[in-house]
Amino acid sequence: MAVNYYQTIVNHIEKLIESNDFIMANKLIEEELSMPYVPQDVLMKLQQLHDICKFNLNEEKKSELLSPEEVYEYLKLGSEKAYKALETLSMANIRNYLAVVKEILVDNAVNRVLKSLLIEQLQIQQISNIINFTIDDRVYSIIPSQIPSPLSQSNFAVISKNLEKIIESNPSFLQQCQMVLINVVYDNYPFLIKDEDVDKITYSVIAYVYKAYQDEEGLKKFLKEHQINIEMLDDFTF
């Protein structure tokens, strides 16, 4: 299995399983298994990982779910408590917690990525209500069932393939870029990557990893080779 989009996803899923994040791992696996085509070797690996997730999730489901009041409290507290609340929402019928989720989504004090993860849960369970959420004091509206999940949006795959073409000679660097791309997607969800932003995000991700490695020479060489003005790139803050 080549170090590419599929290898990156499988590696990410394995790390989630190692950290006992079976919910997120299972979600990513099922997204990939729902795709029209998956290479046979990748398919076999995903099915093995799927079995591991299902076993562990069945064990976790035996534990008591949080009440709506507890979910609200945990989401407000953030950190590990917020994770526990997301865990409940992923296992339960989120419609029973909709009032709480709606309240959290319009709360300006709530973390931006946490809101993205909540909207993702609404999308997974195909909520067709109009949902409002705030970002930087601005109110937006969306119908979760009408948007794709974060990693199934078309331009995620486009950028992933662009990264492979540009950095095919450095598998380790490529894997880091793919992980940064996943962060970018979740940092912006439910907003999707626009076609006109594909190149900018591709180059911004690569530049971000060069900076993370503190490889100034590598960054300068990359920018010169592709005739890129670094001032035009995004500087991610996650």
Side-chain angles (χ1 to χ4, degrees):
M1 186 164 51
V3 178
N4 53 18
Y5 166 77
Y6 292 109
Q7 183 66 68
T8 300
I9 291 295
V10 168
N11 289 345
H12 184 46
I13 291 169
E14 289 178 330
K15 288 181 180 178
L16 290 171
I17 290 175
E18 288 174 6
S19 62
N20 295 323
D21 192 348
F22 301 108
I23 295 171
M24 181 62 75
N26 192 63
K27 181 189 72 64
L28 293 179
I29 291 169
E30 291 184 347
E31 283 183 0
E32 291 304 315
L33 292 177
S34 69
M35 295 298 170
Y37 170 77
V38 179
Q40 186 60 34
D41 59 334
V42 179
L43 182 62
M44 293 176 62
K45 183 63 176 178
L46 288 175
Q47 289 172 336
Q48 292 173 358
L49 296 174
H50 200 205
D51 289 340
I52 293 172
C53 288
K54 287 192 292 185
F55 172 80
N56 284 280
L57 287 173
N58 285 337
E59 291 297 307
E60 290 181 0
K61 282 182 179 179
K62 295 176 183 177
S63 62
E64 185 177 347
L65 298 176
L66 298 175
S67 68
E69 294 77 17
E70 289 173 321
V71 164
Y72 177 81
E73 177 187 352
Y74 282 22
L75 290 173
K76 287 285 289 183
L77 288 171
S79 190
E80 294 181 7
K81 291 288 188 179
Y83 170 80
K84 179 63 177 177
L86 286 168
E87 190 175 52
T88 285
L89 294 175
S90 70
M91 293 189 291
N93 184 340
I94 202 168
R95 292 164 181 81
N96 297 330
Y97 298 82
L98 207 50
V100 167
V101 172
K102 286 181 176 180
E103 188 171 348
I104 290 292
L105 287 173
V106 295
D107 187 337
N108 280 311
V110 174
N111 178 271
R112 169 73 176 88
V113 174
L114 178 55
K115 290 183 180 181
S116 297
L117 293 171
L118 287 172
I119 293 173
E120 180 184 29
Q121 287 300 323
L122 295 171
Q123 189 278 334
I124 290 171
Q125 296 198 33
Q126 291 293 285
I127 299 301
S128 57
N129 306 57
I130 295 176
I131 301 295
N132 296 323
F133 61 99
T134 60
I135 297 177
D136 297 329
D137 295 321
R138 183 174 177 180
V139 180
Y140 300 86
S141 297
I142 200 165
I143 298 177
S145 63
Q146 294 184 359
I147 60 174
S149 61
L151 301 186
S152 66
Q153 58 177 297
S154 59
N155 280 330
F156 170 73
V158 172
I159 296 175
S160 182
K161 290 179 181 177
N162 287 346
L163 291 171
E164 290 177 24
K165 292 177 183 177
I166 297 172
I167 323 171
E168 58 184 353
S169 62
N170 191 336
S172 176
F173 192 95
L174 172 58
Q175 185 173 347
Q176 291 299 316
C177 287
Q178 298 280 19
M179 296 305 299
V180 170
L181 175 58
I182 291 173
N183 285 334
V184 170
V185 169
Y186 275 93
D187 202 46
N188 286 279
Y189 195 72
F191 303 119
L192 307 180
I193 298 173
K194 299 177 182 178
D195 293 343
E196 59 265 31
D197 291 333
V198 165
D199 288 343
K200 181 180 181 180
I201 292 177
T202 300
Y203 295 133
S204 297
V205 166
I206 295 171
Y208 179 91
V209 176
Y210 272 119
K211 291 176 185 177
Y213 279 129
Q214 298 183 333
D215 184 356
E216 294 184 8
E217 289 302 315
L219 176 59
K220 289 179 182 178
K221 182 179 178 181
F222 166 72
L223 295 174
K224 183 177 180 180
E225 181 180 347
H226 293 272
Q227 298 182 327
I228 301 167
N229 180 356
I230 195 169
E231 300 299 325
M232 303 299 292
L233 301 181
D234 291 326
D235 191 13
F236 308 123
T237 56
F238 43 75

